[in-house]
Amino acid sequence: AQSVTQLGSHVSVSEGALVLLRCNYSSSVPPYLFWYVQYPNQGLQLLLKYTSAATLVKGINGFEAEFKKSETSFHLTKPSAHMSDAAEYFCAVRGGNEKLTFGTGTRLTIIP
Amino acid sequence: DAGVIQSPRHEVTEMGQEVTLRCKPISGHDYLFWYRQTMMRGLELLIYFNNNVPIDDSGMPEDRFSAKMPNASFSTLKIQPSEPRDSAVYFCASSFRDRQETQYFGPGTRLLVL
C-alpha cells in the first residue's frame, strides 16, 4: 500500500520569499515521486519527478525537490516566489505496480 | 503537437440524464486514465486502460459509471443516470509506458448535475 500526505492545504508566501511545500509519503517498495501543478481551470502538469536517480530533482519554473528516504519526504521548494506561481500543487507517489496516488493538494497564494 | 483533448469542457445536465465525456489521448501513448476531482475527495483515479484494455476499474464509484476505449485515439466515460453528487471536474490523462513516465492531463470537463 502507498499514500502521500501534504502538510498544509493552504500556504501563503510573499513575492520573492522562499516557497516550501511539504510532502511525506508511505510506500512498501522504493517509490517514484512526482509534483504536479494545477493552474486555475486547467489540468495538472508535471513539475518534476524522482525516479531513483539523483535525490535532488530540478523541475520547471525554478522548482526543485529533494528525496529524503530517512524522513520519507519529498518537499518542494523554490528560492524566490513569483506571482505566477500561485496555483495548486499536488504531490504523488507510485511504488511497484501500484497506480499513481495523489495527495490532497496545497493551494499556494503569493502576496504582492 | 496537441495535448490530451477533452470534450465538452463544460456540461450542465439534469439529474437522471445520461452524460458522455470524451477524451483523445496524445498520439502514441498506450495508457489512458480517467480521474475525478472534487473539493471533498480531491483527485481520484476512476479507471485506466493499457492498449485500449481496461486494467483497473476499482475506482469507478458505481454501476452508473462506465468507460470504454474502442481504439487508441478515443475514450469515453459515461454516467447513466447522472446524480447531483456526480458534479465534479473529470480529467483524462495519458502516458507512454505508464510506470515512471509522466502522465499528461487534459484540461478537464466540468460537470454540473442539477
Side-chain angles (χ1 to χ4, degrees):
Chain A
Q2 62 185 25
S3 65
V4 62
T5 301
Q6 292 185 240
L7 299 175
S9 58
H10 291 84
V11 171
S12 296
V13 302
S14 297
E15 192 174 14
L18 171 72
V19 175
L20 171 60
L21 304 183
R22 300 177 186 274
C23 172
N24 288 89
Y25 70 91
S26 172
S27 175
S28 56
V29 298
Y32 297 127
L33 294 158
F34 306 80
W35 275 100
Y36 280 82
V37 60
Q38 184 180 26
Y39 298 103
N41 300 315
Q42 295 185 26
L44 281 69
Q45 58 181 278
L46 184 72
L47 269 181
L48 50 80
K49 62 182 178 183
Y50 166 77
T51 57
S52 74
T55 56
L56 182 62
V57 182
K58 294 187 183 299
I60 62 171
N61 301 337
F63 284 92
E64 63 182 36
E66 186 171 9
F67 171 69
K68 291 187 177 181
K69 183 178 178 180
S70 61
E71 299 177 8
T72 61
S73 69
F74 190 58
H75 302 329
L76 182 70
T77 60
K78 181 174 181 178
S80 177
H82 294 168
M83 295 300 296
S84 61
D85 295 328
E88 187 146 19
Y89 292 80
F90 293 89
C91 182
V93 63
R94 150 173 242 147
N97 292 322
E98 298 271 359
K99 50 200 174 191
L100 197 60
T101 300
F102 287 88
T104 52
T106 297
R107 185 170 300 277
L108 177 64
T109 300
I110 309 299
I111 303 167
Chain B
D1 189 17
V4 175
I5 299 171
Q6 291 186 247
S7 64
R9 292 294 309 276
H10 301 273
E11 177 81 27
V12 181
T13 190
E14 293 187 345
M15 183 174 63
Q17 296 298 305
E18 178 180 295
V19 175
T20 299
L21 311 181
R22 297 172 176 80
C23 175
K24 176 178 170 57
I26 293 173
S27 177
H29 283 190
D30 52 356
Y31 282 83
L32 184 138
F33 307 83
W34 281 101
Y35 290 90
R36 178 172 69 176
Q37 185 179 39
T38 62
M39 290 291 293
M40 292 298 295
R41 302 173 68 91
L43 196 63
E44 305 171 273
L45 177 65
L46 300 177
I47 184 171
Y48 77 94
F49 296 82
N50 177 218
N51 292 323
N52 314 336
V53 176
I55 302 301
D56 184 348
D57 66 354
S58 59
M60 296 286 262
E62 21 187 306
D63 292 345
R64 298 184 296 106
F65 286 69
S66 62
K68 294 182 180 179
M69 193 166 185
N71 57 62
S73 59
F74 184 65
S75 177
T76 60
L77 178 67
K78 187 174 294 186
I79 308 172
Q80 166 64 16
S82 58
E83 297 183 3
R85 59 189 168 130
D86 301 331
S87 298
V89 181
Y90 291 82
F91 289 103
C92 176
S94 69
S95 71
F96 177 60
R97 292 191 315 209
D98 178 55
R99 184 171 169 79
Q100 57 178 303
E101 297 299 326
T102 303
Q103 290 187 23
Y104 293 84
F105 281 73
T109 295
R110 188 173 296 273
L111 174 65
L112 178 60
V113 183
L114 303 174

